Amino acid sequence: FPSRRVALAIRRGRNAGAMGKKRKPRPDDRARVVDAGDSGGKVKKKKANGATTKASRRKGGGASANGDGRPYDPSRTLSKPAPPPPAYTPSVPTGAYITPEHDEYDACVARSYVGFVVDPPRVLPDELHADVAAAFKTMAKRGLFTRDVLAAGKTVSPTFVSRTLVGERGMTYHYQKLRIFALPWSDEDAPEGSPLRVVRRLNDAMKRRSRALLMRHGDARVGDVTGSCEFNVTLINLMEPERKESVALKDEGQFGMGKASVSWHSDSSLQDTSTVAVYHQTSGGIDGDDTSWHIALKCLDGVTPALRVPLRSHSTYYMMRDFNLHHHHAVLNGDTRRFSSTHRVAVTAKDTFDYIKGRCERALAVLPSLKWRAGRWPRGTKPPRDAATPLSNAVRVLGETHREVEFQWIRMFWLQGARHAAQHDGYWTRRIEELTQAWDVMELGLRFAMDACARAADGKAKAEPRAFEMLRYLLETIAELREEHDARARSGAYAQVPEDCRPVDRPAFDDASPLPRDLRPVLNTLESHRRRALDR
């Protein structure tokens, strides 16, 4: 790890720890950038890996020269992953990483970091920069930024940064065993003058710019595939310099680049080959010269040098197409307060309110069948249409949805505390209450399933061995997940966040609940029913 003096030099943008030839920083930006008009740079030839590499690409870290104005088509994706970009071996020693000051930076990026582009501030209008800055400050004053407490294996820890998710109605984003819920930016939910509307304007600008970059800069590895940049969420981070952090930052760890606010990772829960756009803003205004924050990137080939790229305030960097699949990135801490807005095309198959609402509706449709099997159906009335459905099928449909609603939605929402609930007291609290009501009815359905098994044990109904097995499996899984959730909620990691950001135990149970919170006694009863039913 670098010494304190070396680490300070790194944060100031000096080339500490990276050896080899240097050149003077570009006057406009410390990283190769794409001009506002994307007019391109001069053709260069450089020897790299024993071959002549034509750097006829336009200026812009990693945008390939293969683009020929192909149409943008977000629906086209790869049928299978493309091979990673070729590795780059420097012609002279470069040390563990290189920066834009090195002679081989451009050749390395063009060969091995295809899809990485940095825009200077001037690409976006000054008015948008100013409005976004004001919106971020307003959101911070309203307490919308909180630290997530994540789980990886048995380790539970809070993030170093505070963050919030903004996006389309009903969107969520799931990462490291935590579901975060988007504050909706729609006119219906965000009143006039809301900072969330400004974030939507920024998102629209990110989409337009990403489309232009994708159409101009192709990538021979993926052919005509552009992937999508129809960003539906943005994760906004608030990062403080190390001296103001309440938790000590960790060293980047691999290349001696200094302290990291966000450690090495690739973004998850994204649509395949979709672009990620990150807008970066620090204190000092558009004309400020702060470049203390850096983005670090590395290939996964173990050969290509890592990159350490300084960022000017109000710049944007893009990771296009499948860049996220073959590279990792980290954020190196700077000397100023930083906001970053990471615009993503998040997956929607199982991560929207409409999805889980539909699941609940289908699960609740089997309730009449379970009520009939439990002997609770009103006498003298016709049986439900699905009365002949095997009990095991009805139990499976209901139980799997019950489990998903409880542990992926209700508990995830309340795991983030009372402040989180208050922040979402417009859209999400009502919908979580709606899901809780559906869950409560599903609890009743599981109670009906238990009663049906009891009737089989008493000889009042036909015994179905498969139904006993399915119900036992589901109840055991729910019991284990509750125990796992309770252990996570008791983690000492929550002592590092404010009290109103600590878990709230929901959904609640009382004496009138169809089943108790602790299902171990229920499982014992079910086993007794099974033995009696099968012994008959």
Side-chain angles (χ1 to χ4, degrees), residues 272 288 330 373:
D272 290 342
R373 296 299 188 93

Side-chain angles (χ1 to χ4, degrees), residues 225-259:
V225 173
T226 61
S228 176
C229 62
E230 301 306 305
F231 306 126
N232 48 22
V233 294
T234 180
L235 185 62
I236 306 175
N237 288 340
L238 169 57
M239 308 179 187
E240 299 287 357
E242 185 182 8
R243 65 181 181 275
K244 291 187 177 181
E245 285 287 359
S246 58
V247 178
L249 298 178
K250 295 181 180 179
D251 285 292
E252 168 272 323
Q254 288 185 254
F255 305 102
M257 295 187 187
K259 300 292 185 180

Side-chain angles (χ1 to χ4, degrees), residues 400 403 467-480 523 526:
E400 289 179 350
R403 182 179 59 197
F468 281 97
E469 293 172 7
M470 179 60 66
L471 185 56
R472 179 178 61 186
Y473 163 73
L474 289 167
L475 294 179
E476 283 179 345
T477 303
I478 293 169
E480 290 170 1
L523 283 163
L526 178 62

Side-chain angles (χ1 to χ4, degrees), residues 64-78:
S64 170
N66 299 320
D68 58 3
R70 295 165 180 160
Y72 166 69
D73 183 358
S75 65
R76 294 193 63 182
T77 58
L78 297 171

